[in-house]
CSV table of all heavy atoms in Angstrom, one decimal:
chain,number,residue,atom,x,y,z
M,2,ALA,N,-0.2,-31.9,15.7
M,2,ALA,CA,-1.5,-31.7,16.5
M,2,ALA,C,-1.3,-30.7,17.6
M,2,ALA,O,-2.2,-29.9,17.8
M,2,ALA,CB,-1.8,-33.1,17.1
M,21,LEU,N,11.5,-40.7,24.4
M,21,LEU,CA,10.9,-39.5,23.8
M,21,LEU,C,11.0,-38.3,24.7
M,21,LEU,O,10.9,-38.5,25.9
M,21,LEU,CB,9.4,-39.8,23.4
M,21,LEU,CG,9.1,-41.0,22.6
M,21,LEU,CD1,7.6,-41.2,22.4
M,21,LEU,CD2,9.8,-41.0,21.2
M,24,PHE,N,6.7,-32.1,25.5
M,24,PHE,CA,6.6,-30.7,25.8
M,24,PHE,C,5.1,-30.5,26.3
M,24,PHE,O,4.2,-31.0,25.6
M,24,PHE,CB,6.8,-29.8,24.6
M,24,PHE,CG,8.2,-29.9,24.0
M,24,PHE,CD1,8.5,-30.8,23.0
M,24,PHE,CD2,9.2,-29.1,24.5
M,24,PHE,CE1,9.8,-30.9,22.5
M,24,PHE,CE2,10.5,-29.2,24.0
M,24,PHE,CZ,10.8,-30.0,23.0
M,61,LEU,N,3.3,-1.5,5.1
M,61,LEU,CA,4.1,-2.3,4.2
M,61,LEU,C,5.3,-3.0,4.8
M,61,LEU,O,5.6,-4.1,4.6
M,61,LEU,CB,4.5,-1.6,2.9
M,61,LEU,CG,3.4,-1.3,1.9
M,61,LEU,CD1,3.9,-0.4,0.8
M,61,LEU,CD2,2.8,-2.6,1.4
M,75,PHE,N,24.8,-19.5,7.7
M,75,PHE,CA,25.9,-20.0,7.0
M,75,PHE,C,27.0,-20.2,7.9
M,75,PHE,O,27.5,-19.3,8.6
M,75,PHE,CB,26.3,-19.0,5.8
M,75,PHE,CG,25.2,-18.8,4.8
M,75,PHE,CD1,24.3,-17.8,4.9
M,75,PHE,CD2,25.0,-19.7,3.7
M,75,PHE,CE1,23.3,-17.6,4.0
M,75,PHE,CE2,24.0,-19.5,2.8
M,75,PHE,CZ,23.2,-18.4,2.9
M,79,THR,N,31.4,-21.4,4.2
M,79,THR,CA,30.3,-21.8,3.3
M,79,THR,C,30.0,-20.7,2.4
M,79,THR,O,29.9,-19.5,2.8
M,79,THR,CB,29.0,-22.1,4.1
M,79,THR,OG1,29.3,-23.2,5.1
M,79,THR,CG2,27.9,-22.6,3.2
M,80,ARG,N,29.8,-21.0,1.1
M,80,ARG,CA,29.4,-20.0,0.1
M,80,ARG,C,28.0,-19.6,0.3
M,80,ARG,O,27.1,-20.5,0.2
M,80,ARG,CB,29.8,-20.5,-1.3
M,80,ARG,CG,29.7,-19.5,-2.3
M,80,ARG,CD,30.1,-20.0,-3.7
M,80,ARG,NE,31.5,-20.4,-3.5
M,80,ARG,CZ,32.1,-21.3,-4.4
M,80,ARG,NH1,31.5,-21.8,-5.4
M,80,ARG,NH2,33.4,-21.6,-4.2
M,88,PRO,N,19.4,-15.1,-9.0
M,88,PRO,CA,19.1,-14.8,-7.6
M,88,PRO,C,17.7,-15.4,-7.2
M,88,PRO,O,16.8,-15.4,-8.0
M,88,PRO,CB,19.0,-13.3,-7.6
M,88,PRO,CG,18.7,-12.9,-9.0
M,88,PRO,CD,19.4,-14.0,-9.9
M,104,GLY,N,35.2,-10.7,-9.6
M,104,GLY,CA,36.2,-11.1,-10.6
M,104,GLY,C,37.0,-12.3,-10.1
M,104,GLY,O,36.7,-12.9,-9.1
M,112,ARG,N,38.7,-22.2,-3.4
M,112,ARG,CA,39.1,-20.8,-3.0
M,112,ARG,C,39.1,-19.8,-4.1
M,112,ARG,O,39.3,-20.2,-5.3
M,112,ARG,CB,40.5,-20.9,-2.4
M,112,ARG,CG,40.6,-21.6,-1.0
M,112,ARG,CD,41.9,-21.7,-0.5
M,112,ARG,NE,42.6,-22.8,-1.2
M,112,ARG,CZ,43.8,-23.2,-1.1
M,112,ARG,NH1,44.6,-22.6,-0.2
M,112,ARG,NH2,44.3,-24.3,-1.7
M,121,LEU,N,32.8,-7.7,4.9
M,121,LEU,CA,31.6,-7.0,5.6
M,121,LEU,C,31.5,-7.7,6.9
M,121,LEU,O,31.5,-8.9,7.0
M,121,LEU,CB,30.3,-7.2,4.8
M,121,LEU,CG,30.3,-6.7,3.4
M,121,LEU,CD1,29.0,-7.1,2.7
M,121,LEU,CD2,30.3,-5.2,3.4
Side-chain angles (χ1 to χ4, degrees):
L21 304 177
F24 297 94
L61 283 176
F75 296 94
T79 303
R80 191 173 299 162
R112 286 180 283 181
L121 298 173

